[in-house]
């Protein structure tokens, strides 16, 4: 039975350094394999069978992060996450995700040989390059895996290419392999969906996702109001500039008036009136500016609320269907 585990900080930080394109908060780690995977498999990486995002790394052989072999396997599996999320952000429905689909196209077109699949070749090449550098992110001298802070520097010093800054996805596949995958992958997706339908970990994942939606909402609302504050400041700055331009113009105007009556009198009246027209227009423009910023801010906040509400309603419906509340 596979059980979710929290990988130690040192392993998490290593993944953040090696694969900066991946959102690691959407990846769950398991000790053990899914029940339908052949025992003896060291590890496997799969999309969340019921989710639209998120991946699962199952560590079948070992979860002892003081053992360098576990770290090496994690580096390999995490490379697959990087491949899968490299196309369309890794999103899709269950197993039906473009990056995961392409894995099978490449597997089929390379004579169904696991070791000849470019997806695996590249993952093994990356793992080997990592092993060659002898990077030790987890210091276990105290008996517990503790993060070794020189890890990022060690990686850069040994082989900067270990850091996958842009998704690396192999280019492979024939048309018939594509057609075969069009048949096989949806069948796998349906089987995985059914096989994991009442899997308790879906509930855990959905709870995680709901929490993430809430956090996203909070940070998004902060962004909205920070933007609005900046907008109000900008409006006030423009208005101040406008008022000083008006009074400068008035000063210049009155000092250049003719000095004989009634011309001087008419000129002063004209300057006075146009100064007031100028001040009033700046004032109106300033009010319009503030109101526009306020409206955009309201739209920004309302939109955030709607997205969060849809996410929470959807996860609540799924959790009800999966009987998560009663388990
Ligand atoms: Zn692999």
């Amino acid at each position: 039975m596979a059980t979710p585990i929290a990988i130690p900080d040192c392993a998490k930080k290593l993944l953040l350094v090696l694969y900066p394109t991946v959102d690691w908060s959407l990846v769950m780690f398991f000790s053990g394999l899914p029940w339908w995977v052949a025992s003896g498999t060291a590890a496997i990486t799969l999309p969340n069978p019921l989710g639209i995002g998120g991946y699962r790394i199952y560590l079948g052989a070992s979860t002892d992060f003081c053992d360098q072999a576990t770290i090496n396997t994690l580096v390999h599996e995490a490379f697959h996450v990087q491949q899968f999320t490299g196309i369309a952000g890794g999103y899709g429905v269950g197993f039906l995700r473009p990056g995961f689909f392409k894995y099978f196209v490449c597997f089929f077109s390379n004579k169904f040989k696991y070791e000849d699949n470019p997806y695996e070749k590249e993952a093994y090449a990356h793992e080997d390059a990592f092993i060659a550098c002898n990077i030790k992110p987890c210091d276990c001298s105290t008996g517990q895996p503790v993060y070794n802070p020189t890890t990022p520097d060690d990686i850069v010093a040994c082989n900067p290419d270990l850091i996958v800054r842009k998704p690396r996805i192999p280019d492979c596949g024939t048309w018939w392999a594509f057609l075969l995958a069009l048949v096989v992958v949806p069948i796998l997706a349906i089987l995985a969906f059914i096989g994991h339908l009442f899997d308790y970990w879906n509930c855990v994942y959905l709870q995680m996702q709901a929490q993430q939606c809430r956090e996203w909402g909070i940070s998004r609302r902060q962004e909205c109001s920070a933007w609005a504050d900046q907008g109000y400041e900008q409006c006030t700055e423009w208005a101040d500039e406008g008022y000083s331009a008006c009074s400068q113009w008035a000063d210049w105007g009155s000092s250049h008036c003719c000095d004989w009556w009634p011309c001087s009198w008419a000129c002063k009246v004209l300057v006075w009136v146009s100064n007031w027209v100028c001040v009033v227009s700046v004032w109106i423009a300033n009010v319009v500016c503030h109101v526009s910023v306020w409206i955009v801010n309201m739209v920004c906040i309302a939109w955030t609320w709607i997205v969060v509400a849809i996410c929470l309603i959807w996860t609540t419906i799924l959790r009800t269907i999966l009987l998560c509340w009663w388990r």
Side-chain angles (χ1 to χ4, degrees):
M1 242 293 266
T3 319
I5 51 163
I7 63 168
D9 203 40
C10 52
K12 215 180 280 173
K13 283 187 173 144
L14 173 69
L15 297 184
L16 286 171
V17 175
L18 292 181
Y19 308 111
T21 63
V22 176
D23 179 358
W24 288 102
S25 63
L26 289 173
V27 178
M28 283 177 89
F29 299 88
F30 289 82
S31 164
L33 298 166
W35 56 269
W36 46 270
V37 171
S39 59
T41 306
I44 191 166
T45 299
L46 296 167
N48 260 323
L50 269 72
I52 51 162
Y55 285 80
R56 296 178 175 190
I57 292 182
Y58 292 93
L59 298 167
S62 156
T63 51
D64 175 8
F65 288 89
C66 286
D67 178 359
Q68 190 65 21
T70 309
I71 304 269
N72 299 340
T73 304
L74 183 70
V75 168
H76 175 108
E77 295 306 321
F79 191 84
H80 287 316
V81 176
Q82 170 280 127
Q83 291 169 328
F84 298 154
T85 54
I87 308 178
Y91 290 98
V93 177
F95 274 18
L96 291 177
R97 320 236 184 150
F100 191 65
F101 179 86
K102 200 174 174 194
Y103 179 98
F104 285 90
V105 176
C106 294
F107 171 58
F108 297 153
S109 46
N110 283 281
K111 297 178 184 153
F112 303 86
K113 281 195 185 130
Y114 167 83
E115 63 276 12
D116 286 346
N117 184 347
Y119 266 74
E120 288 303 340
K121 277 189 179 169
E122 291 188 14
Y124 279 110
H126 198 75
E127 183 186 343
D128 289 344
F130 177 78
I131 293 171
C133 278
N134 197 27
I135 308 284
K136 297 215 157 34
C138 300
D139 173 7
C140 289
S141 52
T142 58
Q144 289 296 317
V146 176
Y147 180 59
N148 175 2
T150 65
T151 303
D153 295 337
D154 295 346
I155 291 170
V156 173
C158 175
N159 182 357
D161 285 345
L162 283 175
I163 300 173
V164 184
R165 295 188 191 282
K166 256 196 282 174
R168 287 184 206 156
I169 306 145
D171 198 15
C172 48
T174 55
W175 64 269
W176 63 264
F178 180 82
L179 291 181
L180 185 60
L182 273 184
V183 177
V184 173
V185 179
I187 293 173
L188 282 179
I190 293 167
L191 290 177
F193 182 87
I194 297 168
H196 284 275
L197 190 57
F198 290 96
D199 181 344
Y200 175 68
W201 310 122
N202 291 317
C203 298
V204 177
Y205 174 74
L206 286 168
Q207 215 170 343
M208 254 165 58
Q209 190 143 57
Q211 184 55 30
Q212 242 158 12
C213 292
R214 276 186 222 108
E215 277 164 20
W216 177 85
I218 292 168
S219 74
R220 177 80 206 172
R221 280 199 297 279
Q222 280 167 350
E223 271 171 44
C224 294
S225 57
W227 179 88
D229 287 346
Q230 213 189 336
Y232 292 137
E233 231 168 79
Q234 191 89 63
C235 292
T236 310
E237 241 169 71
W238 283 335
D240 289 347
E241 276 169 31
Y243 291 135
S244 72
C246 291
S247 69
Q248 263 172 25
W249 185 87
D251 289 348
W252 181 88
S254 51
S255 67
H256 284 73
C257 274
C258 39
D259 47 9
W260 50 276
W261 196 87
C263 173
S264 58
W265 179 82
C267 176
K268 284 203 170 95
V269 169
L270 187 69
V271 168
W272 186 85
V273 170
S274 53
N275 180 37
W276 273 105
V277 170
C278 178
V279 168
V280 169
S281 0
V282 170
W283 185 84
I284 292 170
N286 185 28
V287 170
V288 170
C289 181
H290 272 82
V291 170
S292 326
V293 170
W294 184 84
I295 291 171
V296 173
N297 184 33
M298 283 299 121
V299 170
C300 180
I301 288 174
W303 182 74
T304 305
W305 275 113
I306 292 168
V307 172
V308 171
I310 290 172
C311 170
L312 292 181
I313 291 168
W314 178 239
T315 47
T316 305
I317 292 171
L318 275 184
R319 286 170 80 188
T320 308
I321 294 171
L322 299 179
L323 310 175
C324 294
W325 310 105
W326 301 276
R327 290 203 258 168

